[in-house]
């Protein structure tokens, strides 16, 4: 593309687009074109800060930038830049062969709200929104240090998406920063609609179920991650901020853990790990016990299980599979339904699928208990990407249990742990404080040890 | 492939203990009871441990003289190409046989206790595939896997020991040293083989950080000592719970011991499941260690090394399915012990002697 600016051609091009406003000011035979997109521009500001000063300006006395004292004026040199700044809500001034840009952007955004997907009991309730600038401002509220640094990137070949990475100097590892920069620069996509897409484009292990990058809408989560030395990636137009690197351990942590006293907080955290484990293993352990190893169940229990299974026409594996699939369907339906109809799903689920299926003798009541308890356990996993991974694995476990019983389950657990040991998120081992084994870092893993008083920061 | 550059001493201890404790903990009580035939049989373990500690000095000496080399590279450096090749072949064959033996016994126990109608090749094949997946990821991941499961395994064994205390009859263990001491010492020739795994120092040697003799000896002896401690505790409990006479009759006494635990009012009244999980982990780790040694050996001996992992898998698979039943497997165990002595005592000793005579060390 021709890099020299052909003003007339650009003007002709822009005139075809009805959403672009072009104002031609004839300032004593010295034409200046003012171009902006009204939809994303604060027109009052254009009036007050650009058009008014221009009227008073005399081109013979001073150069154009002198007319603007309040607004910083950028001089653009490339045609690409012209489009980009115009689309970012800037107002462009064409004066003969030079182009200036003034920031007058006013995009439509919602106001700051509490994030819906990450609930906490205590602590700040602000959540990120779709505006990059606002998100940075929110982060600045929680993290007031000059060490907080930002770097800007633009990705997308068809539609520009502004991306900004944030880190705290001296905490962050230089290698990590280099890696993040390289991965962002390597993105070659037409269009990045949201943070989740960016996340997948930055990940290395595309066949892994586990998220390599954590996503959050909470500024406090980002600020504490940055202090720990992580890098945050803000994507314009997305309320989810990406945190890298991520470990399995950090996906289980919640802001609430730090807001309560350490003993109950640690117990809750242990409970969360237990629940995650049960959500994956419980249905498969149950079916392997009743279809392969009756001998391992206590006699009384075995008898009552046998009684409840009386008249159930399908094998227990199929029964578990059907129930698991039903719960997944219910969950998916619950997410997609509009809020007023939401409760209807739970009623249908509870009455039709639980109560009636048991009465009709299609499933055994114990299976309903096992599968629904596993589902409740999986609700404790706050990170949705992790929860998806674990739910997928729980199906794999079902198959392993159906084919090889407890032995198959143990082997499947081995396979998952071998995968997790191998997995790395930005060169950090995914199972970080456990394998490799760093006892010092256990203080904030399965449990949350008491906060250090007197200036120490939580590692 | 991610690889650990260097191993710490703690990691090395974990690797050794995980490789040493394997099927020995299941099979040893019966063999020992047959040979020693007294309640002193746990003393034989200590004698065995002492013998192994002495042998381990050979490995330490070799590892210190040739830092950064595995056994397969040392042989050619010391003995020259042709004899080195023979040595490598013998060691690889030894690894193959031990791996197949571990796998066959493991599969036998799985079939016996968990899956009595599942075909053997399915049990063997799945185990082998999972292990191959771990080996494919590299030595670093193997070590991390051992590390991850080591505490879990330890906790399970401790739980099992604590639960067994209720069934323990102290009169089965007493009196000590009433018996012929020579019979007890001769039991060491059985217990010696339950410490197989320390020769893997020659394989993992290239990953070791501190190459001083003192550190390596301390590591070796710590791991042998801890393993001996676990064995001794287990044997005392086995004798206490089952008695020597019963130990001789039961094929898998340790599992029977776990089976005899009963706790009323708890969801699981039977605890062999916990034991089987803990033990399957150790069997998996020791099998993986040997299979890794085998693949490394194949990689060293043959030039097109891309297919070494599937080939190792196929070899083990074939050899595992070769014997008809477990009785036939136990029948071979005497030969396996002979081969083991040749591979882990004679070969390294020869290497060390020649190396000392020639006086060549690997330039660091």
């Amino acid at each position: 593309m021709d890099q020299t600016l052909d003003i007339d051609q650009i003007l002709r091009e822009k005139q075809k687009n009805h959403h672009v406003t072009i104002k031609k000011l004839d300032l004593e035979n010295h034409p200046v074109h003012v171009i902006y997109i009204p939809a994303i521009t604060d027109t009052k500001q254009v009036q007050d800060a650009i058009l008014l000063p221009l009227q008073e300006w005399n081109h013979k006395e001073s150069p154009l930038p002198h007319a603007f004292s309040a607004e910083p004026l950028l001089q653009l040199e490339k045609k690409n830049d012209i489009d980009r700044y115009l689309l970012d809500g800037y107002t462009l001034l064409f004066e003969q062969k030079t182009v200036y840009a003034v920031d007058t952007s006013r995009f439509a955004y919602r106001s700051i709200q509490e994030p819906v997907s990450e609930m906490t009991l205590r602590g700040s309730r602000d959540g990120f929104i779709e505006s990059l600038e606002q998100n940075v401002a929110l982060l600045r509220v929680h993290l007031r240090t000059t060490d907080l640094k930002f770097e800007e990137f633009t990705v997308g070949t068809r539609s520009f998406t502004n991306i900004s990475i944030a880190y705290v100097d001296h905490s962050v590892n230089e290698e990590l920063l280099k890696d993040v920069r390289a991965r962002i620069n390597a993105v070659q996509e037409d269009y990045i609609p949201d943070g989740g897409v960016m996340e997948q484009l930055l990940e290395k292990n595309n066949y892994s179920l586990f998220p390599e990058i954590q996503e959050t809408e909470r500024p406090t989560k980002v600020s504490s991650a940055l202090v720990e030395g992580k890098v945050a990636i803000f994507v314009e137009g997305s309320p989810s901020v990406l945190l890298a690197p991520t470990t399995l351990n950090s996906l289980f942590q919640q802001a609430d853990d730090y807001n309560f006293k350490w003993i109950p907080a640690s117990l809750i955290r242990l409970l969360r790990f237990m629940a995650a484990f049960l959500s994956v293993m419980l249905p498969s352990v149950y079916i392997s016990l009743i279809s392969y190893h009756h001998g391992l169940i206590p006699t009384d229990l075995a008898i009552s299980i046998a009684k409840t299974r009386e008249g159930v026409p399908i094998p227990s594996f199929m029964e578990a599979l059907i129930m698991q699939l039903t719960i997944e369907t219910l969950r998916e339906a619950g997410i997609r339904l509009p809020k007023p109809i939401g409760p209807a799903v739970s009623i249908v689920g509870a009455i039709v699928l639980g109560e009636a299926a048991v009465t009709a003798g299609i499933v055994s009541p114990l299976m309903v208990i096992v599968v629904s308890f596993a589902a409740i356990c999986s609700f404790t996993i706050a990170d949705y990407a992790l929860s998806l991974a674990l739910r997928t694995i729980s199906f794999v476990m079902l198959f392993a249990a159906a084919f090889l019983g407890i032995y198959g389950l143990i082997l499947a657990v081995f396979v998952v742990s071998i995968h997790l040991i191998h997995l790395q998120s930005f060169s950090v081992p995914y199972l970080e404080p456990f394998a490799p084994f760093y006892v010092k870092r256990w203080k904030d893993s399965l449990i949350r040890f008491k906060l250090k008083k007197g200036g120490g920061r939580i590692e | 492939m991610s690889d650990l550059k260097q191993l710490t001493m703690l990691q090395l201890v974990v690797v050794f203990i995980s490789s040493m404790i394997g099927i020995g903990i299941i099979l040893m009580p019966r063999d020992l009871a047959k040979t020693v035939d007294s309640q002193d049989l746990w003393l034989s373990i200590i004698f065995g441990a002492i013998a192994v500690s002495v042998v381990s000095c050979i490995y330490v000496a070799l590892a210190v003289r040739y830092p950064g080399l595995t056994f397969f590279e040392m042989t050619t450096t010391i003995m020259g190409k042709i004899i080195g090749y023979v040595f490598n072949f013998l060691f690889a064959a030894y690894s193959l046989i031990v791996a197949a033996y571990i796998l066959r016994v493991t599969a036998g126990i799985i079939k016996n206790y968990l899956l009595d109608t599942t075909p053997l090749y399915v049990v063997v094949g799945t185990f082998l595939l999972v292990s191959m997946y771990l080996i494919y990821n590299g030595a670093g991941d193997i070590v991390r896997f051992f590390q991850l499961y080591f505490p879990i395994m330890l906790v399970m064994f401790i739980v099992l020991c604590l639960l067994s205390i209720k069934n323990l009859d102290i009169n089965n263990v007493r009196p000590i040293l009433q018996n012929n001491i020579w019979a007890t010492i001769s039991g060491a020739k059985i217990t010696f083989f339950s410490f197989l795994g320390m020769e893997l120092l020659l394989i993992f040697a290239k990953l070791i950080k501190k190459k001083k003799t003192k550190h390596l000896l301390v590591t070796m002896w710590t791991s042998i000592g801890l393993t001996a401690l676990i064995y001794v505790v287990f044997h005392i409990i086995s004798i206490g719970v089952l008695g020597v006479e019963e130990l001789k009759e039961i094929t898998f006494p340790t599992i029977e011991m776990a089976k005899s635990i009963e706790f009323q009012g708890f969801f699981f009244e039977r605890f062999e499941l916990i034991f089987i999980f803990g033990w399957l982990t150790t069997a998996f780790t020791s099998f993986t260690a040997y299979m890794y040694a085998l693949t490394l050996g194949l990689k060293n001996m043959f030039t097109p090394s891309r297919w070494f992992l599937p080939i190792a898998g196929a070899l083990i698979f074939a050899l595992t399915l070769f014997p008809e039943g477990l009785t036939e497997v136990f029948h071979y165990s005497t030969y396996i012990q002979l081969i083991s002595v040749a591979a882990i005592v004679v070969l390294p000793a020869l290497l060390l002697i020649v190396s000392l005579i020639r006086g060549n060390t690997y330039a660091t």
Side-chain angles (χ1 to χ4, degrees):
Chain A
M1 196 189 285
D2 186 14
Q3 286 297 332
T4 53
L5 293 174
D6 184 352
I7 306 279
D8 292 332
Q9 203 226 319
I10 293 169
L11 284 177
R12 251 179 280 124
E13 211 174 90
K14 299 296 172 215
Q15 251 154 0
K16 285 183 208 152
N17 192 331
H18 291 276
H19 272 211
V20 180
T21 304
I22 302 181
K23 283 203 171 106
K24 189 182 175 189
L25 301 178
D26 242 341
L27 305 167
E28 300 161 24
N29 292 331
H30 186 81
V32 173
H33 289 89
V34 177
I35 303 181
Y36 59 91
I37 302 176
I40 54 174
T41 309
D42 188 350
T43 40
K44 192 170 181 298
Q45 198 192 350
V46 173
Q47 186 65 37
D48 294 349
I50 296 173
L51 295 179
L52 278 179
L54 270 182
Q55 310 264 309
E56 288 160 18
W57 172 64
N58 188 333
H59 71 96
K60 281 166 197 156
E61 284 167 14
S62 59
L64 188 124
H66 283 221
F68 302 95
S69 45
E71 302 290 327
L73 209 62
L74 287 166
Q75 192 176 338
L76 305 183
E77 264 139 26
K78 286 188 206 133
K79 189 177 182 298
N80 274 356
D81 279 353
I82 292 179
D83 290 339
R84 250 202 67 195
Y85 278 96
L86 197 59
L87 289 169
D88 274 348
Y90 281 69
T91 298
L92 304 183
L93 305 174
F94 286 66
E95 186 214 14
Q96 287 168 343
K97 289 286 168 200
T98 39
V99 182
Y100 300 97
V102 185
D103 187 3
T104 52
S105 64
R106 199 195 58 192
F107 286 89
Y109 293 117
R110 69 191 162 106
S111 59
I112 295 172
Q113 285 156 338
E114 186 170 13
V116 191
S117 57
E118 290 167 82
M119 288 292 172
T120 54
L121 284 173
R122 250 191 211 179
S124 63
R125 301 206 183 280
D126 49 356
F128 288 123
I129 56 169
E130 285 74 10
S131 155
L132 187 63
E133 208 172 293
Q134 277 293 325
N135 289 352
V136 169
L138 270 178
L139 180 62
R140 287 262 185 215
V141 169
H142 293 277
L143 201 58
R144 297 191 185 187
T145 162
T146 47
D147 278 345
L148 177 58
K149 298 281 161 64
F150 287 91
E151 279 173 32
E152 308 283 333
F153 295 86
T154 311
V155 294
T157 46
R158 175 144 292 257
S159 162
F160 310 110
T161 306
N162 292 323
I163 286 184
S164 168
I165 64 172
Y167 55 89
V168 173
D169 241 351
H170 309 305
S171 290
V172 75
N173 184 339
E174 272 305 318
E175 290 296 310
L176 168 68
L177 262 182
K178 262 186 218 159
D179 196 4
V180 172
R181 281 185 207 127
R183 288 197 200 186
I184 291 177
N185 286 328
V187 170
Q188 291 285 337
E189 197 76 0
D190 277 3
Y191 172 50
I192 315 285
D194 217 322
V197 176
M198 193 62 199
E199 181 187 333
Q200 291 169 61
L201 291 174
L202 294 180
E203 281 178 341
K204 262 204 181 135
N205 303 286
N206 292 322
Y207 292 100
S208 175
L209 290 171
F210 290 88
E212 227 175 292
I213 296 173
Q214 192 177 358
E215 217 185 306
T216 183
E217 293 187 27
R218 291 200 162 269
T220 41
K221 234 177 177 172
V222 175
S223 59
S224 37
L226 290 186
V227 172
E228 280 173 23
K230 291 187 181 178
V231 173
I233 302 157
F234 291 78
V235 179
E236 173 95 76
S238 169
S240 38
V241 173
L242 312 177
L243 295 174
T246 293
T247 60
L248 189 65
N249 187 26
S250 66
L251 290 174
F252 276 101
Q253 295 177 358
Q254 285 300 312
D256 264 349
D257 294 355
Y258 300 94
N259 288 332
F260 292 97
K261 298 201 62 130
W262 73 277
I263 295 175
S266 296
L267 290 176
I268 295 281
R269 200 178 262 185
L270 272 177
L271 185 78
R272 222 179 278 144
F273 275 97
M274 284 284 294
F277 181 75
L278 284 178
S279 79
V280 176
M281 299 300 293
L282 195 64
S284 40
V285 167
Y286 175 72
I287 67 162
S288 69
L289 282 181
I290 60 172
S291 46
Y292 279 96
H293 321 291
H294 321 268
L296 296 174
I297 314 170
T299 327
D300 296 341
L301 190 64
I303 292 168
S304 66
I305 291 174
K307 263 188 206 150
T308 60
R309 280 198 46 78
E310 226 166 60
V312 176
I314 40 180
S316 54
F317 163 65
M318 287 307 291
E319 197 186 341
L321 194 64
I322 290 170
M323 287 305 290
Q324 284 277 65
L325 282 175
T326 314
I327 286 194
E328 293 302 323
T329 321
L330 273 177
R331 205 190 299 223
E332 186 61 19
I335 295 173
R336 304 292 159 227
L337 271 180
K339 259 185 195 148
I341 322 175
V345 177
S346 50
I347 294 169
V348 173
I351 295 175
V352 176
L353 295 166
E355 201 57 48
V358 170
T359 329
I362 300 170
V363 288
S364 70
L366 210 63
M367 184 63 84
V368 177
I369 295 172
V370 166
V371 171
S372 8
F373 183 66
I376 294 170
C377 285
S378 80
F379 292 142
T380 61
I381 305 161
D383 191 279
Y384 195 70
L386 180 66
S387 141
L388 278 180
L390 293 182
R391 276 148 63 190
T392 317
I393 289 173
S394 84
F395 278 93
V396 178
M397 292 289 170
L398 272 188
F399 281 97
F403 287 123
L404 287 169
I406 291 280
Y407 174 66
L409 273 185
I410 295 174
L411 287 187
V413 170
F414 283 175
V415 169
V416 172
S417 40
I418 293 169
H419 170 68
L420 284 175
I421 285 169
H422 192 61
L423 196 62
Q424 290 188 332
S425 158
F426 290 85
S427 304
V428 172
Y430 208 61
L431 286 181
E432 195 247 349
F434 309 112
F437 194 80
Y438 300 130
V439 181
K440 280 180 193 160
R441 309 254 294 136
W442 275 55
K443 275 188 290 190
D444 190 19
S445 56
L446 280 178
I447 60 159
R448 184 190 64 79
F449 201 61
K450 67 184 170 59
L451 299 176
K452 249 193 216 161
K453 283 169 194 162
R457 66 182 165 87
I458 317 158
E459 291 279 340
Chain B
M1 279 194 204
S2 69
D3 244 304
L4 284 186
K5 288 281 172 298
Q6 284 164 334
L7 288 176
T8 62
M9 295 293 106
L10 179 75
Q11 282 177 320
L12 210 55
V13 170
V14 168
V15 168
F16 285 132
I17 296 181
S18 309
S19 337
M20 279 193 263
I21 300 180
I23 50 171
I25 205 157
I26 302 247
L27 297 179
M28 199 170 45
R30 190 175 75 131
D31 293 344
L32 257 187
K34 275 188 175 162
T35 322
V36 180
D37 197 12
S38 85
Q39 51 274 52
D40 288 351
L41 55 86
W42 55 271
L43 279 171
S44 307
I45 297 168
I46 297 172
F47 292 124
I50 292 167
V52 170
S53 309
V54 174
V55 174
S56 69
C57 296
I58 302 176
Y59 309 138
V60 172
L62 278 175
V64 171
R65 286 176 74 87
Y66 301 94
L69 293 188
T70 63
F71 178 84
F72 301 107
E73 290 151 357
M74 284 176 204
T75 49
T76 40
T77 318
I78 299 170
M79 297 300 226
K81 267 222 160 136
I82 299 164
I83 305 178
Y85 197 86
V86 174
F87 271 43
N88 286 352
F89 181 79
L90 287 175
F91 198 85
Y94 157 75
S95 307
L96 168 66
I97 290 167
V98 174
Y101 181 66
I102 295 173
L103 184 52
R104 187 60 179 82
V105 173
T106 308
I109 293 168
I110 296 295
K111 257 183 85 68
N112 211 333
Y113 285 93
L114 293 175
L115 301 165
D116 41 2
T117 48
T118 311
L120 187 71
Y121 64 87
V122 174
V123 178
V124 169
T126 44
F127 196 89
L128 201 56
L129 281 177
V130 176
S131 180
M132 278 163 72
Y133 177 35
L134 179 53
I135 294 170
Y136 174 74
N137 286 344
D141 280 10
I142 297 177
V143 174
R144 280 191 216 110
F145 184 89
F146 286 14
Q147 246 181 329
L148 183 67
Y149 277 94
F150 185 70
I152 301 173
M153 178 195 93
L154 221 53
V155 165
M156 287 188 176
F157 281 152
I158 291 170
V159 165
L160 193 73
C161 289
L162 289 178
L163 291 172
S164 297
I165 283 175
K166 211 178 87 175
N167 297 341
L168 195 120
D169 183 0
I170 199 73
N171 287 326
N172 281 341
V173 190
R174 286 187 309 186
I176 315 174
L177 289 176
Q178 282 286 311
N179 205 265
N180 181 3
I181 187 78
W182 289 111
T184 315
I185 293 176
S186 72
K189 70 174 189 275
I190 287 174
T191 54
F192 181 83
F193 296 103
S194 51
F195 289 98
L196 287 188
M198 76 282 165
E199 75 275 12
L200 296 173
L201 173 67
L202 295 173
I203 300 295
F204 286 99
K206 67 166 178 182
L207 298 168
I208 294 164
K209 194 188 266 173
K210 291 177 187 163
K211 284 167 187 113
K212 285 192 186 130
T213 320
K214 198 180 80 186
H215 292 296
L216 281 182
L217 274 182
V218 168
T219 320
M220 294 299 284
W221 287 343
T222 315
S223 8
I224 294 170
L226 284 174
T227 312
L229 182 74
I230 294 172
Y231 278 152
V232 166
V233 169
F234 248 80
H235 279 75
I236 290 179
I237 289 174
S238 305
I239 305 164
V241 173
L242 299 167
V244 179
E245 288 307 312
E246 234 177 297
L247 276 188
K248 283 196 263 182
E249 303 304 322
I250 305 168
T251 325
F252 307 117
T254 333
I255 300 180
E256 291 305 319
M257 179 188 97
K259 252 187 160 174
S260 66
I261 301 168
E262 265 190 21
F263 259 79
Q264 294 293 329
F266 196 72
F267 181 74
F268 283 109
E269 281 176 359
R270 315 222 347 226
F271 283 84
E272 74 249 42
L273 200 64
I274 294 181
F275 178 74
I276 284 179
F277 177 53
W279 165 76
L280 196 64
T281 315
T282 65
F284 183 79
T285 50
S286 40
F287 172 77
T288 306
Y290 278 100
M291 191 168 166
Y292 177 67
L294 173 61
T295 47
L296 216 60
L298 290 178
K299 217 174 165 183
N300 260 284
M301 286 192 293
F302 302 106
T303 25
S305 55
R306 261 182 70 199
W307 297 97
F308 60 89
L309 188 57
I311 288 172
L315 285 175
I316 293 176
F317 189 72
L319 196 62
T320 308
L321 294 178
F322 174 64
E324 283 282 308
L326 271 187
T327 9
E328 203 186 327
V329 176
F330 295 144
H331 177 72
Y332 289 124
S333 64
T334 347
Y335 302 111
I336 294 174
Q337 288 178 353
L338 275 177
I339 296 167
S340 308
V341 171
I344 69 168
V345 182
V346 179
L347 288 189
L350 277 177
L351 279 182
L352 187 61
I353 291 164
V354 173
S355 156
L356 284 173
I357 293 168
R358 283 191 165 184
N360 66 339
T361 51
Y362 187 66
T364 38

